[in-house]
Amino acid sequence: ALAAAAPLPAAALVQGNAPPPKKKPPPGAGRSSKATNIDEAMAAGEVRENEMEADVEERYAGPVMRSSKGDPYREVDIGSGAVASAGSEVTIMYRVMRLGKRSRDGISGEAQVIFSRGYGEDEDKVGDNVSVILGQGALVEALDTGIEGMKSGGKRRVFVSPQRGWKNMRLNYCTYDGAGGGQRRDGLGIIAGGPGSVSQAEDCFDASRLPQPNNYAATRRLARRFDEGLIVEVELVNVKK
């Protein structure tokens, strides 16, 4: 009898999908925790928190300065163009922000944006801006003097206290700083009343001065926060004398 023929080897090579390329781990991901108890874990977390805080502070390492009316500010970018002064027509973009949790001086640190213009973050387009004349009351007072001395192309963070911002100080009951006459001061020593310190909160919100939000949601966010110290990060696009 003839021997059964042995099966021939397969001639085709079947290939599946190649495995994805290996990704580089994010910074710090390679550090394994050596904590053996909750205290060591908390200590390690505090070290990492301090490292993050130092990184944020380094980005805003310039000295805190004050405007002609005493409003604190810090330069982010100096700029190199024309210098803004009272009477100048200035074109600006801005972010209005709450103080960051890592802010030691009321200006630096991470900050939560309430509303903005010019960055495509708040129902606006990148490059949108506002033009005003300094010294004529179009801006909240802290920003009106806080922009003075800036150079075109520069960026500055200005601290805005309620009294120099969106709080309507023309109404007597809006000047009250909390139940029992108490006053809360921030890290810069500036009086800042807490949200809802008066029952007529809507009346105390001054909507006549810029910056102002351009949509309902942002307006409500500002209405809840106008009675506390805020940061305005302003970018000076152009200056006309």
Side-chain angles (χ1 to χ4, degrees):
L2 296 176
L8 296 175
L13 178 62
V14 179
Q15 289 184 333
N17 293 329
K22 292 184 178 180
K23 295 182 179 180
K24 293 183 178 179
R31 286 189 292 181
S32 59
S33 175
K34 297 181 180 179
T36 58
N37 56 55
I38 186 67
D39 291 334
E40 291 182 1
M42 291 179 65
E46 185 176 347
V47 170
R48 287 192 291 271
E49 184 84 4
N50 290 337
E51 290 174 352
M52 293 174 63
E53 183 176 332
D55 178 65
V56 170
E57 292 289 339
E58 186 177 352
R59 282 182 279 158
Y60 302 97
V64 175
M65 306 178 73
R66 292 185 181 267
S67 70
S68 60
K69 296 296 184 180
D71 303 295
Y73 69 86
R74 172 172 276 162
E75 303 286 6
V76 179
D77 294 313
I78 299 297
S80 58
V83 178
S85 59
S88 300
E89 180 181 344
V90 297
T91 301
I92 60 174
M93 302 190 302
Y94 51 78
R95 289 185 175 99
V96 177
M97 304 177 289
R98 296 185 64 191
L99 274 64
K101 66 178 182 178
R102 296 187 178 90
S103 178
R104 294 178 176 177
D105 52 21
I107 303 177
S108 61
E110 296 176 347
Q112 178 183 353
V113 176
I114 299 174
F115 69 96
S116 63
R117 185 170 183 83
Y119 302 98
E121 302 168 338
D122 200 19
E123 296 186 13
D124 61 329
K125 297 177 182 178
V126 174
D128 283 353
N129 52 63
V130 174
S131 294
V132 297
I133 297 178
L134 291 183
Q136 294 192 354
L139 297 168
V140 296
E141 292 178 341
L143 196 58
D144 207 23
T145 55
I147 292 177
E148 291 180 4
M150 284 186 70
K151 294 181 180 180
S152 180
K155 183 183 291 186
R156 179 178 287 182
R157 275 192 170 193
V158 181
F159 178 85
V160 181
S161 68
Q163 295 80 4
R164 299 275 296 161
W166 291 269
K167 191 171 185 178
N168 190 348
M169 302 302 290
R170 297 183 295 275
L171 300 177
N172 288 336
Y173 55 76
C174 294
T175 63
Y176 181 62
D177 287 303
Q183 294 177 330
R184 177 171 60 83
R185 294 175 179 268
D186 56 38
L188 293 163
I190 295 175
I191 296 172
S197 58
V198 294
S199 59
Q200 302 91 342
E202 295 292 334
D203 293 339
C204 292
F205 174 51
D206 188 353
S208 66
R209 300 191 183 209
L210 298 172
Q212 290 290 332
N214 63 358
N215 62 72
Y216 178 78
T219 299
R220 298 313 304 163
R221 289 196 295 271
L222 179 60
R224 290 193 298 267
R225 301 296 178 187
F226 77 93
D227 204 18
E228 61 185 73
L230 300 175
I231 299 170
V232 177
E233 187 171 272
V234 58
E235 185 172 350
L236 187 55
V237 179
N238 191 38
V239 177
K240 291 182 181 179
K241 296 291 188 179

